[in-house]
Amino acid sequence: MLLSAALFFVGCDGNPVDAHDDHADVEGVSLVASGATLVTVEEAVVSGTIAVAAGSETALIQAKWLDHDGNEVHEEDLDAAYTLQVTTADQAVAEIEQHASDGRFRFHVVGVSAGSTTITVKLMHSDHADFLTPPIPVNVN
């Protein structure tokens, strides 16, 4: 039985299907709120900014993932192992709110106090990022 278990694990190492072959072909993202594109990230270039008043929150922002050609990778094409993670560089200026009821690729930015900070958006695949944005500017006025 021990020999069978050893052969199973050795056999898995030689498996021609790499577990990382099923990753999404995401190379960019558009952040869209109320039908308007706020920010686009393509080829590691950030275009746009997020603005919010102190003491309020943005409309619901949806991350629309983009492939190499700038075409949208539809949410239904990404299995349940994919999630959104958004972090802010300075929580004294802005915070992130994500509610399960809003959907897995949606969030709000909450203005805490006047100033500028950045957020980073990640497309997580289980325990690691398949896509990571450069810092995206956030202005709280």
Side-chain angles (χ1 to χ4, degrees), residues 32-121:
V32 178
S34 302
T37 300
L38 305 175
V39 174
T40 300
V41 178
E42 290 184 288
E43 297 184 14
V45 175
V46 177
S47 300
T49 187
I50 296 173
V52 61
S56 66
E57 69 181 26
T58 62
L60 187 63
I61 298 173
Q62 179 180 6
K64 292 189 175 189
W65 308 108
L66 306 173
D67 67 13
H68 178 72
D69 297 321
N71 298 315
E72 184 177 350
V73 176
H74 298 282
E75 185 172 335
E76 58 271 9
D77 294 334
L78 297 171
D79 68 42
Y82 288 97
T83 58
L84 172 70
Q85 183 180 39
V86 183
T87 56
T88 181
D90 188 349
Q91 291 186 350
V93 175
E95 295 178 343
I96 304 302
E97 283 191 7
Q98 290 179 271
H99 307 285
S101 60
D102 290 334
R104 68 179 170 156
F105 299 131
R106 293 161 182 80
F107 65 99
H108 296 272
V109 177
V110 179
V112 177
S113 64
S116 296
T117 188
T118 60
I119 63 169
T120 303
V121 176

